[in-house]
Coordinates of all heavy atoms in Angstrom, one line a residue:
M181 N -16.1 6.1 14.4 CA -15.7 5.7 13.1 C -14.3 5.1 13.2 O -13.4 5.7 13.8 CB -15.7 6.9 12.1 CG -15.0 6.6 10.8 SD -14.9 8.1 9.7 CE -16.5 8.0 8.9
S182 N -14.1 4.0 12.6 CA -12.8 3.3 12.6 C -11.8 4.0 11.6 O -12.3 4.5 10.6 CB -12.9 1.9 12.2 OG -13.7 1.2 13.2
E183 N -10.6 3.9 11.9 CA -9.6 4.4 11.0 C -9.1 3.4 10.0 O -9.0 2.2 10.4 CB -8.4 4.9 11.9 CG -7.2 5.5 11.1 CD -6.1 5.8 12.1 OE1 -5.9 5.2 13.1 OE2 -5.3 6.7 11.7
V184 N -8.9 3.8 8.8 CA -8.3 2.9 7.8 C -6.8 3.2 7.8 O -6.3 4.3 7.8 CB -8.9 3.3 6.4 CG1 -8.1 2.4 5.3 CG2 -10.4 3.0 6.4
V185 N -6.1 2.0 7.9 CA -4.6 2.1 7.8 C -4.1 1.3 6.7 O -4.6 0.1 6.5 CB -4.0 1.6 9.2 CG1 -2.5 1.5 9.1 CG2 -4.5 2.4 10.3
I186 N -3.2 1.8 5.9 CA -2.6 1.1 4.8 C -1.1 1.1 5.1 O -0.4 2.1 5.2 CB -2.9 1.8 3.4 CG1 -4.4 2.0 3.2 CG2 -2.2 1.0 2.3 CD1 -4.7 2.8 2.0
K187 N -0.6 -0.2 5.2 CA 0.8 -0.4 5.6 C 1.5 -1.2 4.5 O 1.0 -2.2 4.0 CB 0.8 -1.1 6.9 CG 2.2 -1.3 7.4 CD 2.1 -2.0 8.8 CE 3.5 -2.1 9.4 NZ 3.5 -2.8 10.7
T188 N 2.6 -0.7 4.1 CA 3.4 -1.5 3.1 C 4.1 -2.6 3.9 O 4.6 -2.4 5.0 CB 4.5 -0.6 2.4 OG1 5.4 -0.1 3.3 CG2 3.8 0.5 1.6
R189 N 4.2 -3.8 3.2 CA 4.9 -4.9 3.8 C 6.2 -4.9 3.0 O 6.3 -4.7 1.8 CB 4.2 -6.2 3.6 CG 2.8 -6.2 4.2 CD 2.8 -6.2 5.7 NE 3.6 -7.2 6.3 CZ 3.2 -8.4 6.7 NH1 1.9 -8.7 6.7 NH2 4.1 -9.3 7.2
L190 N 7.3 -5.3 3.7 CA 8.6 -5.3 3.1 C 8.6 -6.3 1.9 O 8.3 -7.5 2.1 CB 9.7 -5.7 4.1 CG 11.1 -5.9 3.5 CD1 11.6 -4.5 3.0 CD2 12.0 -6.4 4.6
N191 N 8.8 -5.8 0.7 CA 8.8 -6.6 -0.5 C 7.5 -7.4 -0.7 O 7.5 -8.5 -1.2 CB 10.0 -7.5 -0.6 CG 11.3 -6.7 -0.5 OD1 11.4 -5.6 -1.0 ND2 12.3 -7.3 0.1
G192 N 6.4 -6.8 -0.3 CA 5.1 -7.5 -0.3 C 4.0 -6.5 -0.6 O 4.2 -5.4 -1.1
P193 N 2.8 -6.9 -0.2 CA 1.6 -6.2 -0.6 C 1.4 -5.0 0.3 O 2.1 -4.7 1.2 CB 0.5 -7.2 -0.3 CG 1.0 -8.0 0.8 CD 2.5 -8.2 0.5
L194 N 0.3 -4.3 0.0 CA -0.2 -3.2 0.8 C -1.3 -3.9 1.8 O -2.2 -4.4 1.3 CB -0.9 -2.1 0.0 CG 0.0 -1.3 -1.0 CD1 -0.9 -0.5 -1.8 CD2 1.0 -0.5 -0.2
L195 N -1.0 -3.8 3.0 CA -2.0 -4.4 4.0 C -2.9 -3.3 4.4 O -2.5 -2.3 5.0 CB -1.2 -4.9 5.2 CG -2.1 -5.7 6.2 CD1 -2.8 -6.9 5.5 CD2 -1.2 -6.2 7.4
V196 N -4.2 -3.5 4.1 CA -5.3 -2.5 4.4 C -6.1 -3.0 5.5 O -6.7 -4.0 5.5 CB -6.1 -2.2 3.1 CG1 -7.2 -1.2 3.4 CG2 -5.3 -1.9 1.9
T197 N -6.2 -2.2 6.6 CA -6.9 -2.5 7.8 C -8.0 -1.4 8.0 O -7.6 -0.2 8.0 CB -6.0 -2.6 9.0 OG1 -5.0 -3.6 8.7 CG2 -6.8 -3.1 10.2
G198 N -9.2 -1.8 8.3 CA -10.2 -0.9 8.5 C -11.4 -1.0 7.6 O -11.4 -1.9 6.7
P199 N -12.4 -0.2 7.8 CA -13.6 -0.3 6.9 C -13.4 0.3 5.6 O -13.6 1.5 5.4 CB -14.7 0.4 7.8 CG -13.9 1.5 8.5 CD -12.5 0.8 8.8
V200 N -13.1 -0.6 4.6 CA -12.9 -0.1 3.2 C -13.8 -0.8 2.3 O -14.3 -1.9 2.6 CB -11.5 -0.3 2.7 CG1 -10.5 0.5 3.6 CG2 -11.1 -1.8 2.7
K201 N -14.1 -0.2 1.2 CA -14.8 -0.8 0.1 C -13.9 -0.8 -1.1 O -13.3 0.2 -1.5 CB -16.1 0.0 -0.2 CG -17.0 -0.6 -1.2 CD -18.2 0.3 -1.5 CE -19.2 0.3 -0.3 NZ -20.4 1.1 -0.6
I202 N -13.8 -2.0 -1.8 CA -12.9 -2.0 -3.0 C -13.9 -2.3 -4.2 O -14.7 -3.2 -4.2 CB -11.9 -3.1 -2.9 CG1 -11.0 -2.8 -1.6 CG2 -11.0 -3.2 -4.1 CD1 -10.0 -3.9 -1.3
I203 N -13.7 -1.5 -5.2 CA -14.6 -1.5 -6.3 C -13.8 -1.6 -7.6 O -12.8 -1.0 -7.8 CB -15.4 -0.1 -6.4 CG1 -16.2 0.1 -5.0 CG2 -16.4 -0.1 -7.5 CD1 -16.8 1.4 -4.9
D204 N -14.3 -2.5 -8.5 CA -13.5 -2.7 -9.8 C -13.9 -1.6 -10.8 O -14.7 -0.7 -10.5 CB -13.8 -4.1 -10.3 CG -15.1 -4.3 -10.9 OD1 -15.9 -3.4 -11.1 OD2 -15.5 -5.5 -11.2
H205 N -13.3 -1.6 -11.9 CA -13.4 -0.6 -12.9 C -14.8 -0.5 -13.5 O -15.2 0.5 -14.2 CB -12.4 -0.7 -14.0 CG -12.5 -2.0 -14.8 ND1 -12.1 -3.2 -14.3 CD2 -13.1 -2.3 -16.0 CE1 -12.3 -4.1 -15.2 NE2 -13.0 -3.6 -16.2
E206 N -15.7 -1.5 -13.3 CA -17.0 -1.5 -13.7 C -18.0 -1.2 -12.6 O -19.2 -1.3 -12.8 CB -17.4 -2.9 -14.4 CG -16.6 -3.1 -15.6 CD -17.0 -4.4 -16.3 OE1 -17.6 -5.3 -15.7 OE2 -16.6 -4.6 -17.5
G207 N -17.5 -0.9 -11.5 CA -18.4 -0.5 -10.4 C -18.8 -1.7 -9.5 O -19.6 -1.5 -8.6
N208 N -18.3 -2.9 -9.7 CA -18.7 -4.0 -8.9 C -17.9 -4.0 -7.6 O -16.7 -3.7 -7.6 CB -18.3 -5.3 -9.6 CG -19.1 -5.4 -11.0 OD1 -20.3 -5.3 -11.0 ND2 -18.3 -5.5 -12.0
V209 N -18.5 -4.3 -6.5 CA -17.9 -4.2 -5.2 C -17.4 -5.6 -4.8 O -18.2 -6.6 -4.9 CB -18.9 -3.7 -4.1 CG1 -18.3 -3.7 -2.8 CG2 -19.4 -2.3 -4.5
Y210 N -16.2 -5.7 -4.4 CA -15.6 -7.0 -4.0 C -16.3 -7.3 -2.6 O -16.4 -6.5 -1.8 CB -14.1 -6.9 -3.8 CG -13.4 -6.9 -5.1 CD1 -13.1 -5.7 -5.7 CD2 -13.0 -8.1 -5.7 CE1 -12.4 -5.7 -6.9 CE2 -12.3 -8.1 -6.9 CZ -12.0 -6.9 -7.5 OH -11.4 -6.8 -8.7
D211 N -16.6 -8.6 -2.4 CA -17.2 -9.1 -1.2 C -16.1 -9.3 -0.1 O -15.3 -10.2 -0.3 CB -18.0 -10.4 -1.4 CG -18.6 -10.9 -0.1 OD1 -18.6 -10.1 0.9 OD2 -19.1 -12.0 -0.1
L212 N -16.0 -8.4 0.8 CA -15.0 -8.5 1.9 C -15.6 -8.9 3.2 O -15.1 -8.6 4.3 CB -14.3 -7.1 2.0 CG -13.6 -6.6 0.8 CD1 -13.0 -5.2 1.0 CD2 -12.5 -7.6 0.2
T213 N -16.8 -9.5 3.1 CA -17.5 -9.9 4.4 C -16.6 -10.8 5.3 O -16.0 -11.7 4.8 CB -18.8 -10.7 4.0 OG1 -19.6 -9.9 3.1 CG2 -19.5 -11.1 5.2
G214 N -16.5 -10.4 6.5 CA -15.7 -11.1 7.5 C -14.3 -10.8 7.5 O -13.5 -11.4 8.3
K215 N -13.8 -10.0 6.6 CA -12.4 -9.7 6.5 C -12.1 -8.4 7.3 O -12.7 -7.4 7.0 CB -11.9 -9.6 5.1 CG -12.0 -10.9 4.3 CD -11.5 -10.7 2.9 CE -11.8 -11.9 2.0 NZ -11.0 -13.0 2.1
E216 N -11.2 -8.5 8.2 CA -10.8 -7.3 8.9 C -9.6 -6.5 8.2 O -9.4 -5.4 8.5 CB -10.4 -7.7 10.4 CG -11.5 -8.2 11.2 CD -11.1 -8.5 12.6 OE1 -10.0 -8.2 13.0 OE2 -12.0 -9.2 13.3
N217 N -8.9 -7.2 7.4 CA -7.9 -6.6 6.6 C -7.8 -7.3 5.3 O -8.2 -8.5 5.1 CB -6.6 -6.5 7.3 CG -6.1 -7.8 7.8 OD1 -6.0 -8.8 7.1 ND2 -5.9 -7.9 9.1
V218 N -7.2 -6.6 4.3 CA -7.0 -7.2 3.0 C -5.6 -6.8 2.5 O -5.0 -5.8 2.9 CB -8.0 -6.8 1.9 CG1 -9.4 -7.3 2.2 CG2 -8.0 -5.3 1.8
A219 N -5.0 -7.7 1.7 CA -3.6 -7.4 1.2 C -3.8 -7.2 -0.3 O -4.3 -8.0 -1.0 CB -2.7 -8.6 1.5
L220 N -3.4 -6.0 -0.7 CA -3.5 -5.6 -2.1 C -2.1 -5.8 -2.8 O -1.1 -5.3 -2.2 CB -4.0 -4.2 -2.2 CG -5.4 -3.9 -1.7 CD1 -5.7 -2.4 -1.8 CD2 -6.4 -4.7 -2.4
C221 N -2.1 -6.5 -3.9 CA -0.9 -6.7 -4.6 C -0.3 -5.4 -5.1 O -0.9 -4.5 -5.6 CB -1.1 -7.6 -5.8 SG 0.3 -7.9 -6.8
R222 N 1.0 -5.3 -5.0 CA 1.7 -4.2 -5.6 C 2.9 -4.6 -6.4 O 3.6 -3.8 -7.0 CB 2.1 -3.1 -4.6 CG 3.1 -3.5 -3.5 CD 3.4 -2.4 -2.6 NE 4.3 -2.9 -1.6 CZ 5.3 -2.2 -1.1 NH1 5.6 -1.0 -1.6 NH2 6.1 -2.7 -0.2
C223 N 3.1 -6.0 -6.6 CA 4.1 -6.4 -7.4 C 3.6 -6.7 -8.9 O 4.4 -6.8 -9.8 CB 4.7 -7.7 -6.9 SG 3.7 -9.2 -7.1
G224 N 2.3 -6.8 -9.0 CA 1.7 -7.0 -10.3 C 1.7 -8.4 -10.8 O 1.2 -8.7 -11.9
Q225 N 2.1 -9.4 -10.0 CA 2.2 -10.8 -10.4 C 1.1 -11.7 -9.9 O 1.1 -12.9 -10.3 CB 3.6 -11.3 -10.0 CG 4.8 -10.6 -10.6 CD 4.8 -10.5 -12.1 OE1 4.6 -11.5 -12.7 NE2 4.9 -9.3 -12.6
T226 N 0.3 -11.2 -9.1 CA -0.8 -12.0 -8.5 C -1.7 -12.6 -9.6 O -2.0 -11.9 -10.6 CB -1.6 -11.2 -7.5 OG1 -2.6 -12.1 -6.9 CG2 -2.3 -10.1 -8.1
K227 N -2.3 -13.7 -9.3 CA -3.4 -14.3 -10.2 C -4.8 -13.9 -9.6 O -5.8 -14.3 -10.2 CB -3.2 -15.8 -10.2 CG -1.9 -16.3 -10.7 CD -1.6 -16.0 -12.1 CE -0.4 -16.7 -12.6 NZ 0.9 -16.0 -12.2
R228 N -4.8 -13.2 -8.5 CA -6.1 -12.8 -7.9 C -6.3 -11.3 -7.7 O -6.6 -10.8 -6.7 CB -6.2 -13.4 -6.5 CG -6.2 -14.9 -6.4 CD -6.2 -15.4 -4.9 NE -7.3 -14.7 -4.2 CZ -7.0 -14.1 -3.0 NH1 -5.8 -14.0 -2.5 NH2 -8.0 -13.5 -2.4
R229 N -6.0 -10.6 -8.8 CA -6.0 -9.1 -8.7 C -7.4 -8.7 -8.2 O -8.4 -9.2 -8.6 CB -5.7 -8.5 -10.1 CG -4.3 -8.7 -10.4 CD -4.0 -8.0 -11.7 NE -2.6 -8.3 -12.1 CZ -2.0 -7.8 -13.1 NH1 -2.6 -7.0 -14.0 NH2 -0.7 -8.1 -13.4
P230 N -7.4 -7.7 -7.4 CA -6.3 -6.8 -6.9 C -5.6 -7.4 -5.6 O -4.8 -6.7 -5.1 CB -7.0 -5.5 -6.6 CG -8.3 -5.9 -6.1 CD -8.7 -7.2 -6.9
F231 N -5.9 -8.6 -5.2 CA -5.4 -9.1 -4.0 C -4.1 -9.9 -4.1 O -3.8 -10.5 -5.1 CB -6.5 -10.0 -3.3 CG -7.8 -9.4 -3.1 CD1 -8.8 -9.6 -4.0 CD2 -8.0 -8.4 -2.2 CE1 -10.1 -9.0 -3.9 CE2 -9.2 -7.7 -2.0 CZ -10.2 -8.0 -2.9
C232 N -3.3 -9.8 -3.1 CA -2.0 -10.5 -3.1 C -2.3 -12.0 -2.9 O -3.2 -12.4 -2.1 CB -1.2 -10.0 -1.9 SG 0.3 -11.0 -1.5
D233 N -1.6 -12.8 -3.7 CA -1.7 -14.3 -3.5 C -0.4 -14.9 -3.1 O -0.2 -16.1 -3.2 CB -2.2 -14.9 -4.8 CG -1.3 -14.8 -6.0 OD1 -0.2 -14.2 -5.8 OD2 -1.6 -15.4 -7.1
G234 N 0.6 -14.1 -2.7 CA 1.9 -14.6 -2.3 C 2.9 -14.8 -3.4 O 4.0 -15.1 -3.1
T235 N 2.5 -14.5 -4.6 CA 3.5 -14.7 -5.7 C 4.7 -13.8 -5.6 O 5.8 -14.1 -6.1 CB 2.7 -14.4 -7.1 OG1 1.6 -15.3 -7.2 CG2 3.7 -14.6 -8.2
H236 N 4.5 -12.6 -4.9 CA 5.7 -11.7 -4.8 C 6.9 -12.4 -4.1 O 8.0 -12.1 -4.4 CB 5.3 -10.5 -3.9 CG 4.9 -10.8 -2.5 ND1 3.6 -11.1 -2.2 CD2 5.6 -11.0 -1.4 CE1 3.5 -11.4 -0.9 NE2 4.7 -11.3 -0.4
K237 N 6.7 -13.5 -3.3 CA 7.8 -14.2 -2.7 C 8.5 -15.0 -3.7 O 9.8 -15.0 -3.7 CB 7.2 -15.1 -1.6 CG 6.6 -14.4 -0.5 CD 6.0 -15.4 0.5 CE 5.1 -14.7 1.5 NZ 4.2 -15.6 2.2
S238 N 7.8 -15.7 -4.6 CA 8.5 -16.6 -5.5 C 9.0 -15.9 -6.8 O 10.0 -16.4 -7.4 CB 7.5 -17.7 -6.0 OG 6.4 -17.2 -6.6
C239 N 8.5 -14.7 -7.1 CA 9.0 -14.0 -8.2 C 10.2 -13.1 -7.9 O 10.8 -12.5 -8.8 CB 7.9 -13.2 -8.9 SG 7.4 -11.7 -8.1
G240 N 10.5 -12.9 -6.6 CA 11.7 -12.2 -6.2 C 11.5 -10.7 -6.3 O 12.5 -9.9 -6.4
W241 N 10.3 -10.2 -6.3 CA 10.0 -8.8 -6.4 C 10.6 -8.0 -5.2 O 10.5 -8.5 -4.0 CB 8.5 -8.5 -6.5 CG 8.1 -7.1 -6.6 CD1 8.3 -6.3 -7.7 CD2 7.5 -6.3 -5.6 NE1 7.9 -5.1 -7.5 CE2 7.4 -5.0 -6.2 CE3 7.1 -6.5 -4.3 CZ2 6.8 -3.9 -5.6 CZ3 6.6 -5.4 -3.7 CH2 6.4 -4.2 -4.3
V242 N 11.2 -6.9 -5.5 CA 11.9 -6.1 -4.4 C 11.3 -4.7 -4.5 O 11.4 -4.1 -5.5 CB 13.4 -6.1 -4.6 CG1 14.0 -5.2 -3.5 CG2 14.0 -7.5 -4.5
A243 N 10.7 -4.3 -3.4 CA 10.3 -2.9 -3.3 C 11.4 -2.0 -2.8 O 12.1 -2.4 -1.9 CB 9.0 -2.8 -2.4
E244 N 11.5 -0.9 -3.3 CA 12.6 0.0 -2.9 C 12.0 1.3 -2.3 O 12.7 2.2 -2.0 CB 13.5 0.4 -4.0 CG 14.2 -0.9 -4.6 CD 15.1 -0.6 -5.7 OE1 15.3 0.6 -6.1 OE2 15.7 -1.5 -6.3
D245 N 10.7 1.3 -2.1 CA 10.1 2.5 -1.6 C 10.1 2.6 0.0 O 9.8 1.6 0.6 CB 8.6 2.6 -2.0 CG 7.8 1.3 -1.8 OD1 8.4 0.2 -1.9 OD2 6.6 1.4 -1.5
L246 N 10.4 3.7 0.4 CA 10.4 4.0 1.9 C 9.8 5.4 2.0 O 9.8 6.2 1.0 CB 11.8 4.0 2.4 CG 12.5 2.7 2.6 CD1 13.9 2.9 3.0 CD2 11.8 1.8 3.5
V247 N 9.3 5.8 3.1 CA 8.8 7.1 3.4 C 10.0 8.1 3.3 O 11.0 7.9 3.9 CB 8.2 7.2 4.8 CG1 7.8 8.6 5.0 CG2 7.0 6.3 4.9
P248 N 9.9 9.0 2.4 CA 11.0 10.0 2.2 C 11.2 10.9 3.5 O 10.2 11.1 4.2 CB 10.7 10.8 1.0 CG 9.2 10.7 0.9 CD 8.8 9.4 1.5
P249 N 12.4 11.3 3.8 CA 12.5 12.2 4.9 C 11.8 13.5 4.7 O 11.6 13.9 3.6 CB 14.0 12.4 5.0 CG 14.6 12.0 3.7 CD 13.6 11.0 3.1
A250 N 11.3 14.1 5.8 CA 10.7 15.3 5.7 C 11.6 16.4 5.2 O 12.8 16.3 5.5 CB 10.1 15.7 7.1
P251 N 11.1 17.3 4.4 CA 12.0 18.4 3.9 C 12.6 19.2 5.1 O 11.9 19.4 6.1 CB 11.1 19.2 3.0 CG 9.7 18.9 3.3 CD 9.7 17.5 4.0
T252 N 13.8 19.6 4.9 CA 14.4 20.4 6.0 C 14.1 21.8 5.8 O 13.9 22.3 4.6 CB 15.9 20.2 6.0 OG1 16.4 20.5 4.8 CG2 16.3 18.7 6.4
T253 N 14.0 22.6 6.8 CA 13.7 24.0 6.7 C 15.0 24.7 6.4 O 16.1 24.4 7.0 CB 13.2 24.5 8.1 OG1 12.1 23.8 8.4 CG2 12.9 26.0 8.0
P254 N 15.0 25.5 5.4 CA 16.3 26.2 5.0 C 16.7 27.1 6.2 O 15.9 27.6 6.9 CB 15.9 27.1 3.8 CG 14.4 27.0 3.7 CD 13.9 25.9 4.5
A255 N 18.0 27.1 6.3 CA 18.6 28.0 7.4 C 18.3 29.4 7.1 O 18.2 29.9 5.9 CB 20.1 27.8 7.4
P256 N 18.1 30.2 8.2 CA 17.8 31.6 7.9 C 19.0 32.3 7.4 O 20.2 31.8 7.6 CB 17.5 32.2 9.3 CG 18.1 31.2 10.3 CD 18.1 29.8 9.6
P257 N 18.9 33.4 6.6 CA 20.0 34.1 6.0 C 20.9 34.6 7.1 O 20.5 35.0 8.2 CB 19.4 35.2 5.2 CG 18.0 35.4 5.7 CD 17.6 34.1 6.3
A258 N 22.2 34.6 6.8 CA 23.2 35.1 7.7 C 23.1 36.6 7.9 O 22.7 37.3 6.9 CB 24.6 34.8 7.2
P259 N 23.3 37.1 9.1 CA 23.2 38.6 9.3 C 24.3 39.3 8.4 O 25.3 38.7 8.1 CB 23.5 38.8 10.7 CG 24.2 37.5 11.2 CD 23.7 36.4 10.3
P260 N 24.0 40.5 8.0 CA 25.0 41.2 7.1 C 26.3 41.4 7.9 O 26.4 41.6 9.1 CB 24.3 42.6 6.9 CG 23.2 42.7 7.8 CD 22.9 41.3 8.3
A261 N 27.4 41.4 7.1 CA 28.7 41.6 7.7 C 28.9 43.0 8.1 O 28.4 43.9 7.5 CB 29.8 41.2 6.7
Q262 N 29.6 43.3 9.2 CA 29.8 44.7 9.7 C 31.2 45.2 9.4 O 32.2 44.5 9.4 CB 29.5 44.7 11.2 CG 28.1 44.4 11.5 CD 27.8 44.5 13.0 OE1 28.6 45.0 13.7 NE2 26.6 44.1 13.3
Ligands
FES560 S1 2.3 -8.3 -3.7 FE1 1.9 -10.3 -3.2 S2 1.4 -11.2 -5.1 FE2 1.9 -9.1 -5.6

């Protein structure tokens, strides 16, 4: 079984690689025949929803999301004073 990978592009779409099925709100399946990856719009400006059409470049959309750092483990309590 192949792995699905979703990667954010800097100030651009979500690049989806792997065997996925994309279905609209009415249950219709998008034809992805022959495509090894698809770019899903996350700027909201595309004319080909849900796919990226490159408009994010001309509209100046800036993504500020990054993977947050892992939470740090709290330090153990200090031993009692003697
Ligand atoms: S991310 Fe490319 S058009 Fe929206």
Side-chain angles (χ1 to χ4, degrees):
M181 172 184 270
S182 297
E183 179 182 28
V184 174
V185 176
I186 303 174
K187 182 177 181 182
T188 60
R189 302 292 307 264
L190 179 63
N191 301 327
L194 297 172
L195 187 59
V196 182
T197 303
V200 296
K201 184 184 289 186
I202 302 176
I203 304 170
D204 73 11
H205 63 282
E206 294 182 345
N208 302 303
V209 179
Y210 288 91
D211 182 8
L212 303 177
T213 304
K215 296 185 190 276
E216 294 182 10
N217 54 55
V218 293
L220 297 177
C221 176
R222 63 182 178 134
C223 76
Q225 301 302 311
T226 183
K227 304 289 187 286
R228 296 181 46 235
R229 290 184 184 182
F231 304 104
C232 171
D233 67 357
T235 302
H236 62 271
K237 297 174 191 166
S238 59
C239 74
W241 183 70
V242 176
E244 298 180 4
D245 50 324
L246 291 173
V247 175
T252 57
T253 305
Q262 295 181 10

